[in-house]
Amino acid sequence: MIRLIGYFFGIGAVFFLGLAAVVALYLGSVTKDLPDYEVLNSYAPPVTTRMHAGNGALMAEYARERRLYLPIQAIPDRVKAAFLSAEDKNFYQHPGVDVTGLFRAIVVNVQNMGSGRRPVGASTITQQVAKNFLLSSDQTIDRKVKEAILSFRIEQAYSKDRILELYLNEIFFGLNSYGIAGAALTYFDKSVTELTIAETAYLAALPKGPSNYHPFRRTEAAIERRNWVIDRMVENGYVTQSDGAEAKAQPLGVTPRHRGSYLFASEYFSEEVRRQIIERYGDNALYEGGLSVRTSLDPRIQVAARKALQHGLLTYDERRGFHGPIKTIEIGGDWGIELAKVDAFADVPEWKLAVVLAVDDGGADIGLQPSKDASGKVVEERVAGRIEADNMKWAYRSAKGDRKTAKSPAGVFTVGDVVYVEPTEGGSYRLRQPPKVQGGLVAMDPHTGRVLAMVGGFSYAQSEFNRATQAMRQPGSSFKPFVYAAALDNGYTPASVIMDAPIEIVAGGQVWRPQNYGGGAAGPSTLRLGIERSRNLMTVRLANDMGMNLVAEYAERFGIYDKMYPVLSMSLGSGETTVLRMVSAYSVLANGGKQIKPSLIDRIQDRYGKTIFRHEERTCENCNANDWEKQDEPTLVDNREQVLDPMTAYQITSMMEGVVTRGTAAGKIKLDRPTAGKTGTTNDEKDAWFVGYTPDLVAGLYIGFDNPAPLGRGATGGSLSAPIFNEFMTAALEGTRPTKFIVPEGMQFIAVNRKTGMQASEGQPDTIMEAFKPGTGPADVFSVIGGEEFASPEEILKNSPQANQAVTGGSGGLF
């Protein structure tokens, strides 16, 4: 018996040694090409880039994987408990592999053999980290063995908290969200610290199979799995029985977070910043780099800009008639279903889509578009309303020209027409339509170049083309201040007199005969009158007298053009530029001649909080002193280039104040503080501009069709754009204290005659206090630049009816 036992023991030992050798050889082959688990030290997953307004409000997020990385210390204990209960309750006890859970899974799988059920897994959180970070998802024995070996090694190299941190920030939750912070925002629009027990349990249920527990397509399965997690949390002592029961009674409550722009009216601004970041750092930095971008946008000013531009566009568009319905649908069945299929402008929440149900001479009965739930499913709502005739009279005229003017709503609508409406205070609705005309507006701080507001069109949902930065348009007469600035910087004064008379320019066999707006000419006029009345002929003569090379140099110095052709027609703003460039150039005039670098971005930080870009380049001496030891106060060193004489900047500002008070914008700008600006209208009234400023805010805009076409006779910068500027500035400056333009030291003020530009005697009528640089002043002799002779002012005025017309408010130039 002893020999038999020894015999079997020997066979067993040999078999065991052989098996051990086979296992050793197998493990050797498996571990030979194991990935290096030390890469977890440098884990830097794709993280969402977040864009914020100047006040810190979230504007937009950009990511391929919607993830926000949270250190384990920032993750609440309740969230940890939910995932431990759902995935690995023995996480803090096992060495990487849960042997008890493994044997339990083996038993269950043996029992389920032949049932068709999917095998039950027993992967710990550590094993899932090994699989997600270092291995593939192949369902093979080799992968499971590698996973187990790596798990032991990871447990030896990293703390449990570090492993849990990696897991909670890496896992996929569905709806393109990764990591617990991203999932909390995506599913519930909350931070992890705000999650309830029920919400936490649902998120903990998702890693097992996000599509299996989809909140809308698989709602019952999602609730069942969530409740199972809650039961495990109760069983493990993380949640009381009563709290668990209360959590299980709650609905799923998923409210997916809005994608795209989160801050109202900021879409054009956000998109421009997005393009700039890609241009500077590339796609990967934006969509994976986890950048924190603080922009210069002021939400209050942005809303004011959007409202003012939209109001101006709609006012112009409605004066020209009704374009017709968006489409026509059948209303014989359930019109709510058909109407819900029509896309509305998501960024114009004031408007609603409606279908005409009945129409009579007094108005139209309408049905409003049903709303949709978070899943996009139509909510069965059939809300009725009415458009009264008084709220749609503008539509009696057809903008298409395909019918005569209607006399009542019955001549405008047919049953089934889909139109936009806006609620009124009286409970009825006003007819609206998307305008065909477009425009762009930019507002800027002239002292820093920070862009505070930007509107690139009526609606970003209607058109993503940003007309404030991408549309190249002719600025027309809004360019003239830079011609005059070049003159004032080179020996001319605001009282210099130029002949306003017909002129012919011959070049290359071509004859160019510029004209003033409205025709006619006004004879000798001062530079001030020339810019106030926007006289084309005077501007051409002035540019010709100076030389266009000088004008081109100033235009490039101000950043209006990169390269300007030195031809005389360019002096009238015939070159193409953008609203942003024009506003930047006017900011130089507003801040006393300092160079401006327009910026939509204040600061960019990387995922670790390191600042990698800052717009502010000025330095502050003594700003970082720890204590005050009677040293001088900190001083901000402004090292920006002086591109224009401060006195010249003040002179042109003073002249443009005259544009607002007496010139082409007179009566249109009604602000409670000093305001300078210039109108601009291009040939055939294709573009209408106004750019202006107060001491602390610059704004500019244009209105025009995307495919340039005449806006109509009388559609000038003064009539169309100046009122929009006034509406915007009134709202933007509300609550701020009025200030005055700074007068440079040494500037002299002398009373001059507005007709002749010569010094006025005491008590003489029609005089104005004009600003002169030291060593300059009114002319002693009435000389006319561009005239054939020099004579007394009395003689010229006597022999020139046009000159008399000019000084008494006669014909103006290109507005």
Side-chain angles (χ1 to χ4, degrees):
M1 178 63 69
I2 293 175
R3 283 198 302 269
L4 185 62
I5 293 173
Y7 175 75
F8 282 114
F9 178 80
I11 293 176
V14 171
F15 178 78
F16 177 78
L17 291 174
L19 179 62
V22 171
V23 171
L25 289 173
Y26 173 72
L27 292 178
S29 65
V30 169
T31 57
K32 182 173 59 176
D33 58 349
L34 276 179
D36 184 6
Y37 61 89
E38 292 184 359
V39 299
L40 299 179
N41 275 326
S42 57
Y43 173 59
V47 179
T48 301
T49 287
R50 310 187 87 193
M51 192 180 297
H52 301 266
N55 66 352
L58 181 64
M59 288 171 57
E61 295 178 321
Y62 301 97
R64 294 193 179 102
E65 298 179 2
R66 301 180 66 83
R67 177 189 286 108
L68 298 175
Y69 193 91
L70 281 183
I72 193 65
Q73 296 83 358
I75 301 175
D77 290 341
R78 175 182 291 172
V79 174
K80 300 176 192 175
F83 282 87
L84 294 178
S85 297
E87 297 291 329
D88 189 0
K89 70 175 183 179
N90 297 321
F91 172 70
Y92 280 96
Q93 286 77 44
H94 64 65
V97 175
D98 187 354
V99 178
T100 303
L102 179 62
F103 279 116
R104 187 185 306 114
I106 292 173
V107 171
V108 171
N109 289 333
V110 170
Q111 293 175 345
N112 291 339
M113 288 182 64
S115 66
R117 297 180 181 178
R118 184 177 179 178
V120 175
S123 293
T124 63
I125 285 178
T126 310
Q127 288 176 277
Q128 292 184 57
V129 168
K131 180 187 71 174
N132 292 336
F133 285 87
L134 305 173
L135 300 171
S136 68
S137 298
D138 297 338
Q139 295 290 330
T140 63
I141 295 298
D142 284 357
R143 199 269 295 167
K144 293 296 290 184
V145 172
K146 291 179 180 180
E147 182 182 289
I149 295 172
L150 284 171
S151 296
F152 287 122
R153 295 182 179 180
I154 289 172
E155 289 274 353
Q156 292 174 351
Y158 302 101
S159 68
K160 288 285 189 179
D161 281 348
R162 173 59 175 167
I163 296 170
L164 185 59
E165 177 183 293
L166 292 173
Y167 171 77
L168 291 175
N169 281 286
E170 175 66 17
I171 48 179
F172 176 57
F173 286 87
L175 300 185
N176 196 36
S177 61
Y178 293 77
I180 182 60
L185 289 171
T186 298
Y187 282 89
F188 299 106
D189 199 13
K190 294 181 177 180
S191 68
V192 291
T193 58
E194 299 174 298
L195 294 173
T196 65
I197 295 174
E199 292 165 348
T200 302
Y202 175 62
L203 294 182
L206 287 171
K208 186 175 181 66
S211 60
N212 296 332
Y213 308 112
H214 193 279
F216 306 117
R217 293 195 293 266
R218 304 290 298 276
T219 305
E220 292 184 4
I223 292 176
E224 182 180 349
R225 174 67 179 174
R226 180 204 66 179
N227 291 347
W228 180 88
V229 175
I230 293 173
D231 287 339
R232 301 289 78 72
M233 293 176 72
V234 172
E235 180 183 300
N236 296 329
Y238 295 122
V239 174
T240 64
Q241 191 78 37
S242 60
D243 288 343
E246 182 181 348
K248 290 168 63 176
Q250 295 176 9
L252 209 54
V254 172
T255 54
R257 195 176 197 195
H258 171 70
R259 299 292 175 90
S261 178
Y262 300 105
L263 190 64
F264 179 63
S266 67
E267 292 86 357
Y268 282 112
F269 200 106
S270 300
E271 177 60 16
E272 182 62 27
V273 174
R274 186 191 72 86
R275 283 195 293 263
Q276 290 187 12
I277 293 176
I278 290 177
E279 183 179 352
R280 181 174 298 177
Y281 301 110
D283 283 2
N284 289 339
L286 176 68
Y287 293 105
E288 299 180 2
L291 303 177
S292 176
V293 183
R294 178 61 66 93
T295 72
S296 57
L297 181 136
D298 185 313
R300 183 184 68 84
I301 295 179
Q302 178 68 26
V303 170
R306 169 192 178 269
K307 182 179 179 181
L309 184 62
Q310 282 192 346
H311 181 231
L313 296 176
L314 290 173
T315 299
Y316 171 87
D317 190 70
E318 290 183 358
R319 284 203 301 260
R320 280 147 183 82
F322 185 50
H323 302 308
I326 298 171
K327 66 180 301 183
T328 301
I329 63 175
E330 293 290 336
I331 64 169
D334 189 345
W335 55 261
I337 300 297
E338 290 301 312
L339 186 58
K341 297 177 182 178
V342 183
D343 292 330
F345 292 156
D347 57 345
V348 189
E350 304 93 334
W351 291 10
K352 298 181 180 297
L353 277 175
V355 59
V356 177
L357 303 177
V359 60
D360 53 52
D361 290 343
D365 294 328
I366 56 172
L368 301 181
Q369 185 181 56
S371 59
K372 300 179 181 179
D373 62 20
S375 66
K377 183 180 178 181
V378 174
V379 178
E380 297 299 333
E381 294 181 355
R382 295 168 62 95
V383 180
R386 184 170 174 81
I387 306 173
E388 299 294 344
D390 287 344
N391 289 327
M392 59 172 292
K393 283 185 176 180
W394 61 268
Y396 291 177
R397 177 184 177 187
S398 172
K400 298 179 179 180
D402 54 359
R403 59 174 168 79
K404 296 180 180 180
T405 301
K407 296 182 179 180
S408 71
V412 177
F413 291 143
T414 60
V415 173
D417 284 349
V418 177
V419 295
Y420 278 104
V421 296
E422 182 176 8
T424 65
E425 293 182 359
S428 63
Y429 291 87
R430 172 182 172 82
L431 178 64
R432 288 297 195 185
Q433 71 178 359
K436 299 292 185 183
V437 70
Q438 290 287 354
L441 186 153
V442 171
M444 180 182 293
D445 180 342
H447 307 296
T448 62
R450 298 176 68 243
V451 177
L452 303 177
M454 174 184 291
V455 186
F458 174 77
S459 162
Y460 185 78
Q462 179 189 33
S463 169
E464 297 181 8
F465 181 66
N466 191 336
R467 295 157 189 85
T469 60
Q470 294 177 297
M472 302 297 294
R473 312 292 293 211
Q474 294 179 334
S477 293
S478 63
F479 175 75
K480 289 177 182 175
F482 304 100
V483 178
Y484 285 79
L488 294 172
D489 226 19
N490 288 275
Y492 298 79
T493 74
S496 297
V497 178
I498 300 177
M499 178 62 73
D500 183 17
I503 185 173
E504 287 188 357
I505 307 296
V506 181
Q510 299 289 325
V511 179
W512 179 49
R513 298 184 181 88
Q515 293 182 335
N516 288 327
Y517 185 86
S525 302
T526 62
L527 260 64
R528 173 177 284 277
L529 281 173
I531 199 168
E532 287 182 359
R533 297 293 178 181
S534 197
R535 305 244 172 87
N536 291 342
L537 297 175
M538 286 182 62
T539 304
V540 171
R541 287 180 183 274
L542 178 62
N544 190 50
D545 190 64
M546 287 189 296
M548 280 302 297
N549 286 328
L550 180 63
V551 175
E553 177 192 334
Y554 272 74
E556 293 166 12
R557 185 188 300 181
F558 280 86
I560 299 173
Y561 306 111
D562 291 329
K563 183 67 177 178
M564 174 176 160
Y565 293 108
V567 295
L568 278 173
S569 61
M570 295 290 284
S571 67
L572 300 181
S574 61
E576 293 180 338
T577 187
T578 66
V579 177
L580 179 60
R581 286 191 172 217
M582 288 298 292
V583 171
S584 300
Y586 272 72
S587 293
V588 175
L589 302 177
N591 72 18
K594 287 285 190 180
Q595 180 63 272
I596 280 291
K597 292 182 180 179
S599 177
L600 283 71
I601 303 172
D602 286 343
R603 185 184 71 243
I604 302 176
Q605 294 172 289
D606 64 15
R607 67 170 69 206
Y608 305 110
K610 178 183 177 182
T611 297
I612 59 177
F613 169 81
R614 189 188 301 275
H615 169 62
E616 180 59 77
E617 296 180 349
R618 293 176 294 178
T619 59
C620 184
E621 298 180 359
N622 302 323
C623 280
N624 296 322
N626 294 323
D627 299 296
W628 183 66
E629 299 177 355
K630 298 183 179 181
Q631 69 267 36
D632 293 337
E633 294 181 2
T635 56
L636 193 63
V637 179
D638 191 348
N639 52 15
R640 294 174 299 177
E641 180 185 358
Q642 189 79 39
V643 298
L644 187 69
D645 186 335
M647 292 188 175
T648 299
Y650 179 79
Q651 285 178 316
I652 198 68
T653 295
S654 175
M655 292 164 68
M656 285 197 290
E657 285 187 89
V659 173
V660 171
T661 56
R662 294 177 297 275
T664 55
K668 306 296 184 181
I669 310 299
K670 302 174 183 178
L671 302 179
D672 62 349
R673 62 200 70 204
T675 308
K678 185 68 186 73
T679 56
T681 310
T682 60
N683 285 340
D684 301 322
E685 293 95 0
K686 291 181 179 178
D687 290 315
W689 287 74
F690 190 87
V691 189
Y693 52 92
T694 64
D696 298 310
L697 184 63
V698 183
L701 69 135
Y702 88 91
I703 290 179
F705 293 102
D706 285 343
N707 293 320
L711 293 166
R713 187 62 180 172
T716 64
S719 64
L720 290 183
S721 297
I724 298 175
F725 173 88
N726 183 71
E727 180 181 342
F728 163 68
M729 293 293 275
T730 299
L733 296 172
E734 184 179 2
T736 64
R737 187 169 59 184
T739 57
K740 296 182 178 180
F741 291 113
I742 297 175
V743 181
E745 186 176 351
M747 185 70 74
Q748 305 176 63
F749 290 89
I750 302 174
V752 300
N753 186 288
R754 292 187 65 246
K755 299 178 181 180
T756 65
M758 300 177 68
Q759 186 167 356
S761 57
E762 186 175 351
Q764 183 177 340
D766 202 16
T767 63
I768 186 171
M769 296 300 294
E770 196 62 84
F772 291 93
K773 300 175 183 178
T776 68
D780 297 326
V781 178
F782 188 74
S783 59
V784 182
I785 300 170
E788 297 294 329
E789 60 182 11
F790 297 87
S792 68
E794 292 78 11
E795 183 179 352
I796 289 183
L797 292 174
K798 178 181 178 182
N799 298 323
S800 176
Q802 294 170 329
N804 275 295
Q805 183 187 26
V807 298
T808 57
S811 62
L814 186 61
F815 290 174

